[in-house]
Amino acid sequence: MVNQLQDLVREAEQAIEKAAGAKALEDLRIKYLGKSGLVTEFLKGLNRLPEGERPQAGKACNEAKNRIGRLLDQKMESLGDSLIAPPADWDPTLPGRGLLPGKRHPLHSVQKEICGIFSGFGFQVVQGPDIETDYYNFQSLNFPADHPARDAHDTFYLDGDLLLRTHTTPVQIRVMESYKPPFNVVAPGRVYRNEAVDATHHHVFHQVDGFLVDRGVHFGHLKGILDAFAKNFFGPKIGTRFRPSFFPFTEPSAEVDISCVFCQGKGCRICKQSGWVEIMGCGMIHPNVLANCKLDPEEWTGFAFGMGVERVAMFKYDIDDVRLFYQNDLRFLSQF
Ligand code: 2NL
């Protein structure tokens, strides 16, 4: 039996020497030392031996077991780094899966582009709070108490006197209260209206409000700045026109149209055959608004304007549904 064990150990030594990887070594451990392994079977057979032979045979069994175990451990250790080496079928020349890096949301890009154009004209970019008081959102801006825009259907009211701003114009009141004229400021940001969502309305949207106050500012300055903005944003061939309108906080007030970006003014479905599309509202700041901010309307005059970021983005990129901006569908977002 001792001779048989010696043969077995020799056989195991050779097999371990030849074993190429962790899997082969594990198989050998099972073959020799496992529950029904070859060495284990010898151990189990010890009690069938005559009593006199048992101590010597037991010792030989243990020595065989220890030696094979040690050889397996040593070999496993010597494989070292090669255990974590790539499999033979690994092709390092295959292209990777690629990363999808994050990028700016199209609304943010457009808002930035608008502010960038006005920065180029010398305007400062200022931000203010989304939660406003009734005073800054309405009263200071010359809204009569019964004005329909104050109706609960349009405004999200919070506790007490607070509300979610319905435009970013209140930021301008805060600027006029805190600094001295002259002013030239654009205020970008999120605004809220309690309206049903459809292809052209959303209860959260974005606005860029702008104003300029100095001595001797007149409507010609307003037209010049907004025409230059339109040509910068939509392209040099774009024309503008100003139609009379009404806002409580400007007098006179106007809507700004641009020649239709889709048909170059020829008339199409987008401009409803008129050749023009409305992009913003504007006007000369109402004397009451200046007086509310402790500015003498006899000394200071100013123009102001406000545009919807979604609206101009939709014209610029031919997007027909405002909800696309808010659905976070990568098929839409990855186009920008
Ligand atoms: C619109 C119209 C407008 C203004 C915003 C403004 C700012 C000051 C004083 C008075 Cl400091 N007005 N901003 C003026 C006219 C129109 O926005 O339809 N926006 C989407």
Side-chain angles (χ1 to χ4, degrees):
M1 174 167 171
V2 175
N3 286 345
Q4 280 175 306
L5 267 168
Q6 278 168 352
D7 288 345
L8 193 63
V9 170
R10 222 166 292 128
E11 179 199 308
E13 279 170 4
Q14 281 166 11
I16 292 167
E17 181 63 35
K18 277 196 227 131
K23 171 83 173 81
L25 286 173
E26 195 48 38
D27 288 346
L28 289 174
R29 191 183 294 278
I30 292 165
K31 177 176 174 187
Y32 292 102
L33 309 179
K35 239 188 261 165
S36 317
L38 296 171
V39 178
T40 319
E41 290 302 325
F42 272 101
L43 274 161
K44 286 181 196 164
L46 282 176
N47 57 359
R48 289 195 298 271
L49 289 177
E51 215 156 309
E53 292 178 25
R54 280 186 207 167
Q56 209 197 347
K59 195 172 165 228
C61 275
N62 280 326
E63 276 169 9
K65 186 177 142 195
N66 293 340
R67 171 142 182 85
I68 293 172
R70 211 165 38 243
L71 287 172
L72 284 167
D73 290 346
Q74 278 167 5
K75 178 76 180 190
M76 188 69 98
E77 215 164 290
S78 77
L79 286 174
D81 286 351
S82 62
L83 286 179
I84 54 167
D89 62 354
W90 182 59
D91 180 356
T93 66
L94 286 174
R97 286 187 218 281
L99 291 174
L100 261 184
K103 59 200 294 201
R104 237 172 232 132
H105 190 279
L107 283 178
H108 191 209
S109 304
V110 169
Q111 186 171 286
K112 235 171 120 61
E113 186 182 353
I114 295 167
C115 291
I117 292 169
F118 283 104
S119 296
F121 299 157
F123 284 69
Q124 306 260 2
V125 182
V126 174
Q127 286 178 289
D130 286 26
I131 296 176
E132 271 296 2
T133 61
D134 188 83
Y135 176 78
Y136 285 107
N137 199 76
F138 293 127
Q139 282 159 243
S140 64
L141 287 164
N142 201 39
F143 277 81
D146 57 353
H147 193 277
R150 300 180 61 138
D151 196 296
H153 291 285
D154 289 322
T155 309
F156 286 112
Y157 287 99
L158 305 172
D159 284 350
D161 192 37
L162 298 174
L163 48 80
L164 294 178
R165 67 182 178 190
T166 59
H167 47 183
T168 55
T169 316
V171 179
Q172 317 290 34
I173 300 296
R174 293 176 178 279
V175 169
M176 285 194 269
E177 279 182 356
S178 310
Y179 301 94
K180 285 192 186 325
F183 298 111
N184 46 353
V185 168
V186 280
R190 193 178 282 167
V191 299
Y192 307 82
R193 301 261 172 107
N194 193 354
E195 288 181 315
V197 171
D198 63 25
T200 54
H201 298 87
H202 209 267
H203 48 273
V204 177
F205 59 104
H206 296 76
Q207 203 186 333
V208 176
D209 191 282
F211 84 117
L212 182 146
V213 166
D214 206 334
R215 295 183 178 93
V217 174
H218 56 72
F219 204 90
H221 296 127
L222 171 62
K223 291 182 75 173
I225 287 283
L226 294 185
D227 185 71
F229 165 77
K231 287 180 165 58
N232 263 276
F233 186 79
F234 289 106
K237 294 208 180 80
I238 288 291
T240 53
R241 73 175 184 185
F242 292 71
R243 278 179 298 109
S245 184
F246 174 82
F247 302 104
F249 36 83
T250 45
E251 182 58 38
S253 305
E255 307 280 359
V256 185
D257 293 348
I258 56 167
S259 50
C260 181
V261 267
F262 300 103
C263 63
Q264 282 77 44
K266 289 186 205 70
C268 69
R269 131 192 100 78
I270 305 283
C271 61
K272 300 192 190 87
Q273 309 309 323
S274 73
W276 296 92
V277 291
E278 180 200 319
I279 58 159
M280 65 175 122
C282 66
M284 299 307 291
I285 300 175
H286 198 289
N288 292 353
V289 174
L290 294 169
N292 287 338
C293 302
K294 311 265 183 315
L295 293 174
D296 178 2
E298 296 298 323
E299 184 180 1
W300 302 101
T301 52
F303 67 72
F305 52 90
M307 73 186 88
V309 178
E310 281 79 354
R311 189 172 170 82
V312 294
M314 286 166 80
F315 283 129
K316 186 161 177 137
Y317 295 114
D318 192 10
I319 297 163
D320 61 8
D321 194 325
V322 69
R323 289 168 290 198
L324 288 164
F325 289 119
Y326 294 96
Q327 287 163 344
N328 286 337
D329 186 330
L330 288 179
R331 291 170 299 180
F332 173 75
L333 295 176
S334 61
Q335 297 176 71
F336 299 94

